[in-house]
């Protein structure tokens, strides 16, 4: 089968053997999405080699122990745990110490004709959700995960920094899931407009004047992927406010620890979310993900698709096997 | 009167005019303590000029609007708010945007014969607490403040990194205030012994092997004052654990933000605590602070005392006017 592979420092679309179920499920991929994490892996970070991709929608071909899933349209949570540790026993393998992660850690990913995941990771996609929207379940779940990590009070003032895909999903998810007043801060009128049409306040970065804020923010979500976002966040947070880090920029980041201590700020990392809340938001059409689609490539042109996804300002690039 | 002054880049004990009450209280200082923050200010950080010092015990000489305090032995909370903002109105000026801070921000401090503070900041010291112990109220309150910022569950595994004054106070305070299992990590057997005698587990840094931990820590308090403490903390925290930053090291600190995101760590800054819980711990003799006294100098020898306090391994240096 065809797969988008990263190995020996090289990215290529290649013919490889299709995976065997071996006690897990096999899913024929309908669409997959390119994430910034894919780009970082293809720059050599994270030491991964194999098939890239962790955002997908597909149809189940085999599912040992869960035959009712065969033929169903599904999305899949990306962390596969050991199944035995305390965390896995509690039903949440996201921090299992020996987990594999689809297309990220020790497990071939979704930019392929067929992928393999434990059946327990799969969730059926309601008919109301098109393939083009369902493929956003994983990144939308990651956005929803913020509300799982941080208690966002009704009426709280929340700022999301960055109007890329991640910021647009975080702002919409928080507006839909919480009673907070959410403001998206970005540089691009067209992108800000996507969130504005879903009830999110927006402000251009060059018009954000910390000194003129009516009052500072209770929660700021850093979704710019740039270390400067960290400084900006500290500048607009109230004392004892919460800074949510979503971007996994790699390598050392400089920050002024004394500002965190003196302001008694909480800096909270947030990574993967559960899929169920994201599917509910998609089913109820509470978030606009269609507008986040930049373009679609055939899987065979995956290398070009990755290059396109790396261009500044490009939104989601999809791959179709 | 005599005061230990930092101005024009120079530290000296000098005769200055005694403060006037001007609506606040005047306290004749009995003992004051030198904090690492004093040392940082005297290195030119923070832009403060004036009389240093924010840890003290003294006797009230004047107290407009609170005459019942006159003649009483007191300690004093160090943040003086505007009295009008939302935070001050709620009774907590610690984050008032226009606050002054005793010996740190815009207000002469405690290394002097007499100091001035709002009467509302003063708390009477119970007779059971000697002057030599009462002078630790401020740093002990800062240690207690951790429990105000972070919910520490019964049975939680808590590590405190650093066996200096700050670490010894944090470890003892958390052991006394919470139901956690507290471990102090340090380099000095004698200092670790102080905490061990109060029921805190201790381990030498060179014997701390993250890979051999029975299970990682739920909460780690960084009290080394060294950026390497940050990395060590990330290495021994469980996923979704909490790293408490107590040290106000100045300037940029490098950290690997991706470890915070992937581990979904919460990094929580903690600064000043309320004095009441600290006075209760001292009154009930729940913490050993006497053993933290390194030596005492007359105020006139304040410059030498500061030099002594800056030597590696020296515990609390006290000044007596």
């Amino acid at each position: 089968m065809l797969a988008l592979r990263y190995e020996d420092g090289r990215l290529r679309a290649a013919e490889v053997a299709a995976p065997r179920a071996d006690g897990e499920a096999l899913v024929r991929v309908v669409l997959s999405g390119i994430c910034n994490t894919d780009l970082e892996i293809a720059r050599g970070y994270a030491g991964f080699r194999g098939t890239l991709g962790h955002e997908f929608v597909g149809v189940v071909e085999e599912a040992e122990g869960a035959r009712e899933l065969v033929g169903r349209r599904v999305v899949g949570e990306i962390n596969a745990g050991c199944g035995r540790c305390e965390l896995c026993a509690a039903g949440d393998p996201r921090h299992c110490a020996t987990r594999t992660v689809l297309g990220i850690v020790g497990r071939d990913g979704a930019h392929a004709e067929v992928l393999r995941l434990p059946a327990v990771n799969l969730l059926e996609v309601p008919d109301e959700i098109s393939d083009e929207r369902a493929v956003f379940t994983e990144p939308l779940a990651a956005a929803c995960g913020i509300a799982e990590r941080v208690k966002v009070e009704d009426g709280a003032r929340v700022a999301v920094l960055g109007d890329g895909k991640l910021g647009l999903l975080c702002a919409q998810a928080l507006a839909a899931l919480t009673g907070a007043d959410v403001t998206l801060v970005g540089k691009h009128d067209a992108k800000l407009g996507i969130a504005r049409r879903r009830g999110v306040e927006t402000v251009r970065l060059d018009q954000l004047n910390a000194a003129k804020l009516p009052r500072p923010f209770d929660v700021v979500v850093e979704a710019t992927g740039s270390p400067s976002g960290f400084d900006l966040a500290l500048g607009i947070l109230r004392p004892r406010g919460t800074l949510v880090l979503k971007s996994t920029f790699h390598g050392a980041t400089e920050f002024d620890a004394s500002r965190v201590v003196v302001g008694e700020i909480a800096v909270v990392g947030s990574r993967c979310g559960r899929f169920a809340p994201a599917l509910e938001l998609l089913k109820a059409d509470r978030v606009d993900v269609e507008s986040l689609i930049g373009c679609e490539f055939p899987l065979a042109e995956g290398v070009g698709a990755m290059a396109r996804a790396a261009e500044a300002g490009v939104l989601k690039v999809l791959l179709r096997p």
Side-chain angles (χ1 to χ4, degrees), chain A:
Chain A
M1 67 168 189
L2 195 60
L4 183 62
R5 307 278 295 176
Y6 178 73
E7 43 204 348
D8 304 325
R10 191 169 151 234
L11 184 72
R12 65 196 176 111
E15 280 293 328
V16 295
R20 295 163 49 127
D22 278 343
E24 297 191 341
L26 294 180
V27 177
R28 182 158 295 272
V29 177
V30 174
L31 268 180
S32 63
I34 295 176
C35 171
N36 284 344
T37 301
D38 298 344
L39 303 178
E40 298 214 332
I41 291 172
R43 288 180 193 122
Y45 297 121
F48 176 79
R49 54 177 295 159
T51 301
L52 292 176
H54 55 275
E55 304 175 0
F56 74 93
V57 56
V59 175
V60 179
E61 290 202 331
E62 279 185 59
E64 287 188 33
R67 292 186 184 282
E68 69 283 3
L69 283 174
V70 175
R72 304 290 182 174
R73 198 166 58 115
V74 295
V75 288
E77 298 197 353
I78 69 177
N79 296 279
C82 68
R84 290 176 302 276
C85 72
E86 208 174 305
L87 297 166
C88 287
D92 188 350
R94 286 177 293 175
H95 287 290
C96 168
T98 57
R99 70 186 179 276
T100 57
V101 187
L102 187 70
I104 298 176
V105 180
R107 172 179 286 271
D108 280 332
H111 300 321
E113 291 179 70
V114 177
L115 66 81
R116 176 173 172 266
L117 264 182
V120 70
N121 283 46
L122 304 179
L123 288 88
E124 190 171 351
V125 178
D127 291 341
E128 294 89 337
I129 308 174
S130 68
D131 292 336
E132 287 73 14
R133 295 176 67 235
V135 74
F136 283 90
T137 307
E138 196 281 335
L140 180 59
C144 295
I146 294 171
E148 193 186 327
R149 278 296 283 149
V150 176
K151 183 164 167 50
V152 179
E153 308 282 351
D154 284 354
R157 279 172 54 82
V158 175
V160 176
L161 304 185
D163 58 10
K165 301 177 287 291
L166 183 61
L168 285 164
L169 291 173
C170 289
Q172 293 187 79
L174 288 171
L177 289 175
T178 75
D181 292 330
V182 179
T183 300
L184 179 64
V185 181
K187 294 181 179 173
H188 311 91
D189 287 327
K191 292 181 179 178
L192 292 172
I194 296 170
R196 199 159 49 238
R197 287 193 293 276
R198 291 298 176 120
V200 172
E201 288 176 63
T202 64
V203 59
R204 281 183 57 109
L205 179 60
D206 53 15
Q207 284 158 16
L208 181 75
N209 184 335
K212 286 191 182 165
L213 286 177
R215 60 185 176 91
F217 290 96
D218 302 299
V219 177
V220 177
V221 178
E222 201 308 289
T224 67
S226 146
S228 67
F230 200 99
D231 274 337
L232 173 60
L234 290 178
I236 61 174
L237 266 176
R238 71 164 167 81
R240 296 196 163 188
T242 300
L243 196 174
V244 179
L245 289 188
K246 281 305 288 187
S247 310
T248 52
F249 22 59
H250 279 267
T253 300
E254 284 207 339
F255 82 115
D256 186 344
S258 70
R259 290 177 75 185
V260 172
V261 174
V262 170
E264 298 198 309
I265 302 302
V267 181
V268 178
S270 167
R271 189 171 47 103
C272 293
R274 303 315 298 249
F275 276 25
L279 284 172
E280 280 178 34
L281 290 184
L282 289 169
K283 184 177 174 185
D285 193 23
R286 300 284 305 280
V287 297
D288 176 6
V289 295
E290 294 93 324
S291 298
L292 303 191
I293 299 173
C295 52
E296 185 183 308
F297 285 74
L299 175 59
E301 295 173 24
V303 175
M306 289 278 285
R308 181 65 172 275
E311 290 172 16
V314 172
L315 285 170
K316 181 64 73 184
V317 177
L318 300 178
L319 290 175
R320 194 177 293 268

